[in-house]
Amino acid sequence: MMPFEIAEPRSLREAIGLLGRDDPSVRPIAGGTALMLMMKAGVFRPTRLVSLRSIEPAFARTTLGAEGELRIGALASLSSLEHSQAVLNGAPVIAKALRTLSNVRVRNVATVGGHLAHADPHMDLPPVLIALGARVSVLGPSCDRLIPVENLFAGYYETVLARDELIAELIVPPQGGRRAAYLKCTTRSADDWPALGVAVALDTDGTAVHEARIVISAATHKPTRPVAAEAILRDGISDAVLRRAGAAAAEEAGVISDTHGSAAYKRQLVRVYVERAVRAALAIPTGKQRRA
Amino acid sequence: MKTTTKETSQVGRSIPRLEAREKVTGRAEYIHNMRLPGMLYGKIFRSTLAHGRIRSIDVSAAAAVAGVHRVITAEDVKTVIPDPYYGPVFHDQPILAMDKVRHVGEPVAVVLASDPHVAEQAAQLIAADYEELPAVFDEVAATGSPVIVHEVLRPAGMFPDFKDLAGRKNTNLHLDFKLRRGDVETAFAAADHVFEHTFHTRQIMHTPLEPIVSLAESTDSSVTLYTASQMPSVVRMEIARLLAWPENRVRVRTAFLGGGFGAKTYIKVEALVTVCSLLTHLPVKISLTMEEQFYTITKHANTLRLKSGVTKDGRITSRLCEVWWNGGAYADIGPRLTQKSGFTAAGPYDIENVHIDSYAVYTNLPPAAGLRGFGIPTLTWAYESHTDLIARALNIDPLEFRRRNLLREGRPQATGTIMKDAAIDAVLERLAERMDWHAPFDRGSGVIRRGRGIAIGFKASISNTTSVAIVNACGDGSCSVYCNTVDMGQGSDTALAQIAAEALNIPAETIKVIHADTDVTPYDMGTLGSRSTFHMGQAVKLAAEDARDKLLALAAELGLPPETTPIAQIFRKKFGMQAGNVVGIGTFNPKSTQPDHATGLAENITPFWMIGGTGAEVEVDTETGHVRVTRLVNIADVGTPINPGIVDSQLSGAAMMQFGCTMSEGMEFDAGQVTNASLADYKIPGIRDMPDQIINEVVEARQDTGPYGAKGVGETGTFGVSPAITNAIHDAVGVRLTRLPVTPEAVYRALRAANNDALEEE
């Protein structure tokens, strides 16, 4: 690792000013769990890192609104979310997914903003957040914008963010009676990056399905919603429907071969895990039913 | 001699490790942490080609980087060592690549700088120009390939049994061990059934968490090496040989090792740091990264073919074993492994006709050598899979089938050596008991199916090796053990202290074990092959007894009651004050016979046998191929344990390592390049992968020739793990995995194939 400059701005606006639009060797750093590995491997050689550690503490806060809207500051550590009562009340699937996300040392320093901006398709939270319909607020030098997490990822390790834009906050809408589950499947060791992540969020009434969102990650270039499978689920819950939904998801998800397994094998995993994830969501007791 | 504590037996006690406090408080010494004033860091520039002739190496850009002290290539090495080839069996490995590169990752040049980051940066500016040569990677294909990795073989002479290989030319087959007992072909013809199976394993990395590291400082007439080595005496001999210096001008020191497992044997980067230090007159340290270890030393990939003739009532009458060991580009200790483990390839069975061919083969892959078991876990996987398949085909219970064929005490092993102090039957019977083998077993009926399997393996200890130990009693009665056994986590300091303490009749906790420093500590072959408890244990016992006898004689000479006078009082009476030493010395060199070249037979092939049996219960997810090992039972013959607590952790540690080799570990290559050379992609098991339950037990046994009845244990837990698991998978879902590792995808594909519905490739 060669010497580089490290800036420690006191505000998010100041940080944005230090980033610049054109120089790929200038990058923001929050928890550093991903960036440091890239630097050690020589994949990334910075000239300047803009540390976000000293910016306004408000950007690390997590709150649950009266309507059930969850607002999570981008600098909130993953372990703070894991143990947050607001998260447990507003979107318990997030807290649950975090328990098997990497390890406690990583969760203690990694931030939710970094987790999203890194755009590694093997990350656990993006599929969960997409299933929940979450958005991020993004600040830039000229304009600020709200982007659904579903539209944040442009490809493998790529987001739609400009170099001088920073995620400020994550907004998870009220979940009402939705039930959500996330299952991940590893193929090389239990603590490996997932070979497949499947998140589902369901709004059901008996066997009737009002809304179903399924998100496939890790086996694909970026988190992907198999919309045909979602449509099948709206036919109502039955063993046959679950099987058809799994098969449809495997067909449409755009599964790729990599070191975790061949595409053919991972399509089988999608088939199985979509079914299992839907069953896991349906196994959650319906606490707050939106409809009577 | 009187002791300050009441008499208790020092061996057979589970005393906590003597170094435990030092380690958990971060005070234990490791070479990895060592720095010397003025020290340079070396960063290796490595080959990107699997096989090529070196046209030129351009180091000018690297040398021009500010902060770079010097860049070294083979040309510089030759000014210090004119014939810079090393290796324990063949002098085939150059300190830096000369003329050719033979595998991706081979060291080609070294950048030296006082800042390791500068050295790393500069190393990336070196450019080598190669004439690319065709490469060979497969161990079977390499035996008949026109692609030759080494044109001529040059035996090292360290092991006398390889002399006849001198000058052998134009072959990648650098050792072919043969064992011929009876006549297998006639027996096959006469057999009621003949079974044949082929198995494959992949290359594995040792993964010591402290990577390979060496530091050299020198004068014109001496060199001191601080090195994380399992073999300080051998490092000294090899460096002295290369420099053509007497041994006493080379000093080798070690410390605790952060794991070794066979990766830190013979020499690795020791010659390179020595040359760099002699060229610069400064201390030079090279610390490999975890990634570099994948290109430095590995465990063999194998192809194994087994064929057995069996009678209709389940007696194995003949077995043919053909084993190809993919040795990579440099032989290292691979040929010894090919021979020393090769002669057990038919398994712990009483078989009249045995035919073994064990081939050490050069390829253009990173070099391979022993990894916790010296080839035995691989052989056991093959013969215990094969044995299980035969039992199933004959519809005989796998336990009963093994009982019918087991090699029992007093019977000749395949080499002709009569089995002694080898509790094979006791291990098998205890394994059956701990597995509740005859109790009903629920195999499940839904998506999750359950199964169980057993396996048993054996290993001959390394033969014709020597250990020397010194025990020194000080004027105040405190005692130290001087020996070159290296504590790399296996607990040897504690076990050796217990052995010395038993002979001296003082508490083990009061004994200091002096770590290897070849200026001070005497010769030992090395800390490997589970030999230290037995070999060094005996040397320490002899040394302690020698010191004790001298003290008793001294007491008697001084008119003191020998059995009751404290050691300190003996010295005080002798010298009139607290002064003096009594030094005991012990040398242990158990004799054995080398296998006959033509037949592989030998009267006394090994000083002792290690026996390990494992049982596994598994759950298989038939929709995904995931295998969960719910119970792993390891039963071992370790003789009489010196420290039962450490024996237990050695058995489970070994089993966990082999569990990784079974389930997830395996190096993957693309044109000789390792595509998963990092712990992010090469997966050793984590705690959540571990079997739900691991049970270890030793059978009641005694090694008559061992110290207080003990023998080695470091590798025994590895033997049966892989076949126990693949046998259990077969039991659960009816498919046989013949390749390791057993990934979920491999299991799922096998399930689909068995269902005549093979999963498409992509």
Side-chain angles (χ1 to χ4, degrees), chain B residues 443-658:
Chain B
R443 284 187 169 69
S445 54
V447 169
I448 304 293
R449 298 297 173 94
R450 304 181 69 246
R452 56 184 178 167
I454 52 170
I456 184 163
F458 72 148
K459 180 179 193 270
S461 169
I462 186 168
S463 59
N464 275 350
T465 70
T466 303
S467 291
V468 184
I470 292 170
V471 166
N472 180 7
C474 294
D476 66 351
S478 63
C479 294
S480 301
V481 172
Y482 294 65
C483 72
N484 271 351
T485 292
V486 178
D487 199 326
M488 47 192 181
Q490 82 280 36
S492 56
D493 281 6
T494 308
L496 294 174
Q498 286 180 267
I499 289 169
E502 181 75 22
L504 292 164
N505 195 23
I506 59 175
E509 291 86 344
T510 66
I511 289 182
K512 177 169 183 178
V513 178
I514 311 282
H515 286 167
D517 175 347
T518 58
D519 270 8
V520 178
T521 47
Y523 175 86
D524 173 53
M525 197 269 177
T527 308
L528 45 84
S530 308
R531 66 179 290 284
S532 300
T533 299
F534 181 85
H535 290 81
M536 186 56 82
Q538 277 294 30
V540 166
K541 179 168 178 274
L542 292 168
E545 286 168 352
D546 185 30
R548 179 199 63 199
D549 293 346
K550 284 173 178 164
L551 285 162
L552 290 173
L554 187 57
E557 176 194 314
L558 297 168
L560 297 167
E563 297 295 341
T564 53
T565 310
I567 298 173
Q569 215 170 302
I570 303 173
F571 282 118
R572 194 170 287 279
K573 179 81 184 281
K574 169 76 176 171
F575 299 109
M577 58 190 292
Q578 181 177 324
N581 293 96
V582 160
V583 177
I585 185 153
T587 297
F588 188 59
N589 171 235
K591 293 293 177 215
S592 56
T593 47
Q594 294 301 316
D596 177 80
H597 184 72
T599 63
L601 303 184
E603 260 172 42
N604 176 23
I605 195 77
T606 179
F608 67 92
W609 296 97
M610 292 163 252
I611 321 294
T614 293
E617 291 180 10
V618 303
E619 289 178 357
V620 182
D621 183 328
T622 53
E623 288 181 339
T624 66
H626 280 85
V627 174
R628 174 94 205 146
V629 178
T630 51
R631 195 153 175 261
L632 196 69
V633 178
N634 305 302
I635 309 289
D637 168 11
V638 303
T640 308
I642 299 293
N643 185 317
I646 295 180
V647 163
D648 192 272
S649 63
Q650 280 288 289
L651 288 173
S652 50
M656 287 179 204
M657 265 189 104
Q658 190 60 29

Side-chain angles (χ1 to χ4, degrees), chain A residues 186 190 257 262 265 268 276, chain B residues 621 623-624 626 689 745 762:
Chain A
T186 65
S257 290
S262 68
Y265 174 62
Q268 167 66 12
R276 291 183 184 179
Chain B
D621 183 328
E623 288 181 339
T624 66
H626 280 85
D689 297 293
E745 178 164 352
E762 280 308 315

Side-chain angles (χ1 to χ4, degrees), chain A residues 32-35 37-38 78 97-98 100-102 106 110-130 149 152-153 155-157 159 182-185 192-199 215-224 260:
Chain A
T33 53
L35 205 60
L37 289 178
M38 293 167 71
L78 297 182
L98 282 164
T100 59
L101 186 153
S102 188
V106 166
T111 65
V112 69
H115 184 85
L116 291 171
H118 188 49
D120 179 339
H122 301 99
M123 295 290 197
D124 290 299
L125 290 187
V128 174
L129 296 171
I130 293 169
V149 176
L152 180 65
F153 305 105
Y156 199 65
Y157 285 91
T159 64
Y182 173 67
L183 292 185
K184 73 165 153 185
C185 173
D192 190 12
W193 296 103
L196 170 69
V198 178
V215 188
I216 309 294
S217 66
T220 48
H221 281 289
K222 59 175 189 168
T224 304
H260 301 273

Side-chain angles (χ1 to χ4, degrees), chain B residues 194-199 305-308 320 322 386 389-390:
Chain B
V194 176
F195 297 92
E196 185 178 335
H197 304 104
T198 302
F199 302 91
R305 185 172 78 93
L306 281 86
K307 185 175 173 184
S308 294
L320 178 146
E322 252 189 313
H386 178 63
L389 280 162
I390 297 171

Side-chain angles (χ1 to χ4, degrees), chain A:
Chain A
M1 219 184 303
M2 295 304 282
F4 55 87
E5 179 193 345
I6 185 149
E8 281 210 335
R10 299 283 155 179
S11 74
L12 196 62
R13 289 286 171 201
E14 193 191 337
I16 288 164
L18 289 163
L19 285 170
R21 181 147 286 220
D22 304 316
D23 187 350
S25 71
V26 177
R27 276 216 185 182
I29 181 166
T33 53
L35 205 60
M36 289 301 291
L37 289 178
M38 293 167 71
M39 288 163 64
K40 281 186 184 170
V43 179
F44 174 59
R45 294 175 192 280
T47 54
R48 178 197 292 164
L49 291 182
V50 178
S51 167
L52 304 176
R53 295 228 172 174
S54 304
I55 68 161
E56 300 92 326
F59 290 106
R61 203 172 292 151
T62 298
T63 55
L64 184 65
E67 299 299 310
E69 182 184 72
L70 197 53
R71 299 186 82 96
I72 300 169
L75 280 176
S77 73
L78 297 182
S79 62
S80 77
L81 300 190
E82 184 185 353
H83 301 112
S84 155
Q85 198 55 49
V87 172
L88 269 175
N89 292 341
V93 65
I94 295 178
K96 199 170 171 211
L98 282 164
R99 271 181 238 149
T100 59
L101 186 153
S102 188
N103 59 58
V104 67
R105 298 175 303 284
V106 166
R107 295 200 293 275
N108 278 344
V109 285
T111 65
V112 69
H115 184 85
L116 291 171
H118 188 49
D120 179 339
H122 301 99
M123 295 290 197
D124 290 299
L125 290 187
V128 174
L129 296 171
I130 293 169
L132 299 178
R135 293 165 299 165
V136 285
S137 79
V138 172
L139 306 191
S142 47
C143 71
D144 303 340
R145 50 184 181 147
L146 269 177
I147 306 172
V149 176
E150 187 172 358
N151 299 340
L152 180 65
F153 305 105
Y156 199 65
Y157 285 91
E158 271 182 85
T159 64
V160 297
L161 301 177
R163 290 192 194 289
D164 55 359
E165 284 186 311
L166 286 172
I167 297 171
E169 198 174 38
L170 171 70
I171 304 137
V172 183
Q175 293 301 304
R178 252 196 218 151
R179 290 181 287 173
Y182 173 67
L183 292 185
K184 73 165 153 185
C185 173
T186 65
T187 53
R188 305 183 299 189
S189 70
D191 61 3
D192 190 12
W193 296 103
L196 170 69
V198 178
V200 298
L202 301 174
D203 191 351
T204 60
D205 188 356
T207 57
V209 176
H210 301 296
E211 191 201 8
R213 289 164 74 95
I214 306 174
V215 188
I216 309 294
S217 66
T220 48
H221 281 289
K222 59 175 189 168
T224 304
R225 279 179 66 187
V227 289
E230 292 178 350
I232 291 168
L233 281 186
R234 286 194 292 273
D235 291 348
I237 300 300
S238 71
D239 286 353
V241 161
L242 290 191
R243 261 196 307 281
R244 274 168 51 218
E251 229 25 70
E252 67 178 312
V255 171
I256 53 170
S257 290
D258 64 10
T259 55
H260 301 273
S262 68
Y265 174 62
K266 285 192 281 184
R267 281 195 297 275
Q268 167 66 12
L269 293 179
V270 171
R271 229 168 265 133
V272 173
Y273 271 80
V274 162
E275 212 181 309
R276 291 183 184 179
V278 171
R279 288 190 198 282
L282 292 172
I284 298 167
T286 46
K288 294 177 289 176
Q289 278 289 59
R290 198 167 51 186
R291 286 159 228 268

Side-chain angles (χ1 to χ4, degrees), chain B residues 170-185:
Chain B
N170 292 324
T171 175
N172 293 318
L173 186 61
H174 54 284
L175 181 90
D176 46 337
F177 169 74
K178 292 182 195 63
L179 188 144
R180 302 287 184 263
R181 176 178 186 76
D183 176 358
V184 283
E185 289 308 327

